Amino acid sequence: VISNRCFHFAMLTTVKAYHNIQMYLDGSQAGNPLALPLAARAQIELFAVAWHVYDVIASSAGFTKPNLAQRMSRVDKALITAIYGTRSESVLQMYTETSPSRLRGTTARDCETFKAKNILTRIEKTESGSAYKCCAQDYDRLCEFVHPNGSQNLLLMLKSPNDQRCFRLGLSD
């Protein structure tokens, strides 16, 4: 089951990465200055989730280490949360009204697994544990450009001095 979840997660992550890149390319072609920060922000979120799953798998690997069942359960939970996790109360309610299998109903423990982890928490853990040491800083900067007061931030978008078809996000970028 876990190997199938790994495949499912890898496939969904690849599809999302493709669409994030496509979102940028489509927006760039249409002259949308928000295409880059929106796509880059979504890509950072995707990276943070993927890194967390990788970290759980890597720290749980090994058939000779003790507590194999607990480690496999931890991997399974991380994959389920990454694939199906939600912050929507209506989706969580829907999960409680359905069964995760034909053998049993949904438990309170299942509902906890279905709750998505806060993306800012994942980004902070990614920054502290991965090679991407400015993950949170990059994410915060991109959030500023797509925040509802974005029209104020558009003042910082300038044409690139290197290529008039491009723009830069800030005076020193």
Side-chain angles (χ1 to χ4, degrees):
V1 171
I2 291 177
S3 60
N4 286 338
R5 282 200 225 288
C6 284
F7 174 75
H8 188 188
F9 178 72
M11 180 196 64
L12 289 174
T13 301
T14 302
V15 168
K16 288 177 185 177
Y18 168 81
H19 284 290
N20 288 340
I21 293 166
Q22 192 63 50
M23 174 174 49
Y24 165 69
L25 294 173
D26 290 347
S28 179
Q29 187 175 29
N32 179 355
L34 293 176
L36 175 61
L38 284 167
R41 180 181 165 195
Q43 198 67 17
I44 288 174
E45 291 176 352
L46 183 61
F47 175 76
V49 172
W51 183 86
H52 179 256
V53 170
Y54 165 79
D55 186 49
V56 169
I57 292 171
S59 67
S60 301
F63 287 110
T64 58
K65 292 176 12 183
N67 304 320
L68 178 63
Q70 288 175 328
R71 290 183 288 119
M72 297 310 293
S73 177
R74 185 172 173 239
V75 168
D76 198 33
K77 183 177 178 181
L79 286 163
I80 290 169
T81 302
I83 296 168
Y84 303 106
T86 183
R87 295 181 65 169
S88 166
E89 289 299 322
S90 60
V91 173
L92 286 171
Q93 180 62 34
M94 182 184 70
Y95 286 158
T96 63
E97 295 168 359
T98 60
S99 296
S101 77
R102 294 180 187 168
L103 302 176
R104 66 178 181 83
T106 305
T107 66
R109 191 169 137 206
D110 294 330
C111 290
E112 275 305 306
T113 303
F114 289 134
K115 285 185 182 175
K117 295 201 181 316
N118 183 299
I119 196 62
L120 296 176
T121 302
R122 286 188 187 259
I123 287 170
E124 288 171 7
K125 287 183 179 180
T126 299
E127 184 172 88
S128 66
S130 76
Y132 189 6
K133 297 301 180 193
C134 58
C135 184
Q137 180 183 357
D138 289 347
Y139 186 77
D140 289 344
R141 177 187 261 181
L142 291 166
C143 287
E144 283 301 315
F145 283 106
V146 297
H147 194 268
N149 68 356
S151 60
Q152 296 168 8
N153 296 324
L154 288 175
L155 297 173
L156 300 176
M157 289 188 186
L158 307 167
K159 286 191 175 190
S160 170
N162 301 325
D163 186 342
Q164 292 300 309
R165 295 173 297 159
C166 299
F167 63 94
R168 61 185 187 181
L169 300 175
L171 300 174
S172 62
D173 290 346

